[in-house]
Amino acid sequence: MAQLHQTNAIRPPPPRRKAQKALVSILFPVALGLIAVPFVYPSSNLPFLASSLGFSILALLTTITLIPVLQGSFLQADLKGKDLLKRTQHFIPESIGLISASVYILLLILFIPFLFSDFLQNRPRPADVEGLSRAEFPHKQLSVYLAAVLSLLTATLLGFLDDVFDIRWRYKIPIPVIASIPLLIVYFAEGGNTHVVVPKPVRALLGDTLDLGPLYYVYMAMVSTFCTNSINILAGVNGLEATQALIIAISIALNDALYLPWPLSLTLGEKTHVGGVYAAGMAYGSRELMERHLLSLYFMLPLIGVCAGFLFHNWYPARVFPGDTLCYFTGMAFAVVGIQGHFSKTLILFFIPQIFNFILSCPQLFGLVPCPRHRLPRIDPKPSSDRLLPSIVDFETPPKPLTIAVLKVLSALRLTRLTIHPDSGIIYSATNLTLLNALLVWFGPMREQTLTMCCGAIQIMGTCAAFAVRYGLVGFFYDGDRR
């Protein structure tokens, strides 16, 4: 967790981590080879997926290489902060998520010819008639792609402005809605579908499908707000934001891979089929559904690369801080693929830890319990200890009955620890209501990197639960193969 300091005195940060030359020398030719697959094997199955994987490796290498080169410029620009969970204080570059976002967006732009060029698509160019080509160019797909890139650019800009001006939380909430406007406008202009499939238990009342109309656009805007802010709220220890984004991106990519036409087919149980050329795995012959998830994969693979590259420098002890920029553009990337691919319900399932953290935080977010600016854990006061303890919020006045009831329930679930006056029985302090502090209440003091790994393990378990719900329990609520 960083705290920005406006000062002219620049103290040296910890030694920079540099990418191993052997790693770069091995992976760089591999990346170029994968990018060149459409030129060498234009008729192969899904050739642009290999190119996207090559761009992902290139994103990893570029991010790892650029951050040590440019982080000094951020220090000189006074974009720096102190690690509040370290005894030895150094100024560390802040807002380095801007570098990751720039690499990500640039590679998405460079990937456009691979998707829409006649030459790379191996389509013959027809003769022009009066200067106008008779070929049917995929304008709709290109407009959706460019709208997604524009939303990512807007999210990056607004995230960087948040880092510079330190916007208060009450004003942060609608920022992702602004960034999602280009995507929503194009969705509306293309006549996007606003119908949703109604779950089985309420179909007797609402029918099989329900047209939400304008409410559907409100829902999509809220998805972008949730994806962005949920990662931002669950933060405070080295590597946590990047770890969340990396695991969620991998989860979405794995889900997308289930819908692709792999050369080999696999049957799991009676109804779950993976692979088979243009049986399209779980798309069950729907080319449109397969193409939606393929486009999602094109967005997720480079994101995995930049998140992994950033995590290399942000892991404990952090050499750089992400700032809100990383949270904004990664959250918007998740919202983009969920909206474009029409799998927003599946997307939200991958945010189970973030949903839990938000629900746990609600008493503080909505004023029942005092909410300090920083709710991250605190350092063990013992000089010889490098472990973290749950942070505490004090009550200046006796809490109200509703607050007492909520805190006692959370205390019974061991999600918070209360300090009660032995004589009066009045609660005068409680641990802050976040997942990080709850883990420290449950398992006791732990090192910062251990806490990050615990959160990563919970994120992975959340992914497993999401797949179990999406492809197991979902049959109780929806029927058919495309849910």
Side-chain angles (χ1 to χ4, degrees):
M1 185 66 184
Q3 184 179 14
L4 288 178
H5 290 260
Q6 300 298 323
T7 178
N8 294 326
I10 300 178
R11 302 178 187 178
R16 300 177 182 179
R17 292 191 181 105
K18 295 183 179 180
Q20 297 293 327
K21 293 183 178 180
L23 177 68
V24 176
S25 61
I26 293 174
L27 291 182
F28 186 70
V30 173
L32 294 182
L34 290 171
I35 292 173
V37 165
F39 300 94
V40 181
Y41 303 103
S43 60
S44 63
N45 192 30
L46 300 177
F48 307 114
L49 185 57
S51 297
S52 182
L53 183 59
F55 276 107
S56 176
I57 298 175
L58 193 61
L60 168 68
L61 299 178
T62 306
T63 306
I64 288 179
T65 304
L66 283 182
I67 287 178
V69 174
L70 299 178
Q71 68 183 61
S73 300
F74 284 76
L75 284 172
Q76 294 175 359
D78 214 22
L79 291 170
K80 57 184 179 291
K82 287 184 177 181
D83 195 330
L84 301 180
L85 297 181
K86 303 294 187 298
R87 297 186 188 277
T88 304
Q89 295 290 311
H90 299 280
F91 283 125
I92 296 177
E94 178 71 274
S95 307
I96 301 299
L98 180 64
I99 298 176
S100 302
S102 301
V103 171
Y104 178 60
I105 294 172
L106 177 61
L107 292 179
L108 287 179
I109 294 174
L110 293 177
F111 190 62
I112 290 177
F114 289 81
L115 293 180
F116 303 104
S117 168
D118 285 338
F119 173 73
L120 293 178
Q121 289 281 359
N122 200 29
R123 293 191 301 253
R125 292 181 63 91
D128 292 345
V129 178
E130 297 179 357
L132 300 176
S133 177
R134 292 179 295 183
E136 293 185 3
F137 186 81
H139 293 284
K140 179 178 179 180
Q141 291 85 344
L142 179 60
S143 64
V144 171
Y145 190 96
L146 292 178
V149 173
L150 183 56
S151 289
L152 289 166
L153 279 168
T154 307
T156 301
L157 173 62
L158 294 174
F160 185 65
L161 291 176
D162 187 6
D163 285 332
V164 173
F165 295 106
D166 196 16
I167 301 173
R168 300 183 65 178
W169 267 105
R170 69 181 66 177
Y171 306 116
K172 282 185 181 183
I173 301 299
I175 287 179
V177 176
I178 299 173
S180 66
I181 288 176
L183 188 64
L184 299 181
I185 291 296
V186 171
Y187 190 88
F188 174 78
E190 296 289 348
N193 184 21
T194 58
H195 289 77
V196 295
V197 179
V198 177
K200 291 178 182 180
V202 293
R203 286 183 182 177
L205 297 175
L206 301 177
D208 291 343
T209 61
L210 179 65
D211 185 8
L212 297 180
L215 292 178
Y216 191 79
Y217 292 90
V218 175
Y219 164 72
M220 289 191 291
M222 293 301 101
V223 168
S224 65
T225 300
F226 168 78
C227 292
T228 300
N229 288 306
S230 61
I231 294 177
N232 204 6
I233 292 175
L234 183 54
V237 295
N238 292 170
L240 183 55
E241 297 96 323
T243 298
Q244 292 177 77
L246 178 62
I247 295 174
I248 293 173
I250 293 174
S251 303
I252 296 174
L254 291 175
N255 181 68
D256 291 330
L258 297 176
Y259 293 81
L260 300 187
W262 302 108
L264 300 177
S265 61
L266 176 65
T267 301
L268 304 175
E270 297 181 357
K271 297 183 178 180
T272 303
H273 307 284
V274 181
V277 175
Y278 287 107
M282 291 186 180
Y284 294 96
S286 171
R287 188 182 185 92
E288 180 181 359
L289 187 57
M290 183 274 294
E291 290 178 347
R292 288 178 186 173
H293 285 276
L294 184 59
L295 182 61
S296 170
L297 198 56
Y298 291 153
F299 276 88
M300 286 298 101
L301 289 178
L303 184 63
I304 292 171
V306 295
C307 287
F310 179 83
L311 185 60
F312 176 79
H313 298 284
N314 185 234
W315 188 255
Y316 179 92
R319 268 58 175 178
V320 295
F321 290 138
D324 290 329
T325 308
L326 183 82
C327 300
Y328 275 67
F329 95 85
T330 54
M332 184 53 62
F334 299 143
V336 160
V337 298
I339 293 171
Q340 286 185 350
H342 297 273
F343 59 89
S344 57
K345 294 190 293 295
T346 303
L347 172 68
I348 292 174
L349 287 175
F350 293 127
F351 284 80
I352 291 176
Q354 287 73 25
I355 294 173
F356 176 82
N357 182 68
F358 173 75
I359 294 174
L360 180 60
S361 300
C362 280
Q364 288 189 295
L365 297 179
F366 294 103
L368 285 178
V369 177
C371 186
R373 177 173 177 80
H374 296 296
R375 299 184 297 159
L376 64 159
R378 58 191 173 95
I379 306 174
D380 191 335
K382 298 177 182 178
S384 59
S385 175
D386 61 349
R387 299 177 185 272
L388 301 180
L389 302 175
S391 58
I392 295 174
V393 58
D394 296 319
F395 292 90
E396 296 180 358
T397 59
K400 298 179 181 180
L402 179 58
T403 301
I404 294 174
V406 171
L407 288 175
K408 286 187 175 181
V409 171
L410 294 176
S411 178
L413 297 173
R414 295 186 62 191
L415 297 175
T416 187
R417 182 183 300 146
L418 306 178
T419 305
I420 302 175
H421 195 279
D423 298 328
S424 63
I426 296 176
I427 300 174
Y428 60 86
S429 71
T431 56
N432 279 300
L433 304 177
T434 65
L435 177 60
L436 295 176
N437 288 301
L439 288 173
L440 293 172
V441 171
W442 266 92
F443 299 108
M446 63 178 73
R447 293 182 175 88
E448 185 174 356
Q449 62 269 41
T450 305
L451 184 57
T452 302
M453 288 188 285
C454 285
C455 290
I458 291 173
Q459 193 74 53
I460 293 173
M461 288 188 290
T463 292
C464 295
F467 277 107
V469 172
R470 173 62 182 84
Y471 299 104
L473 301 179
V474 74
F476 293 103
F477 300 96
Y478 297 97
D479 49 16
D481 295 322
R482 299 162 203 162
R483 296 183 280 268

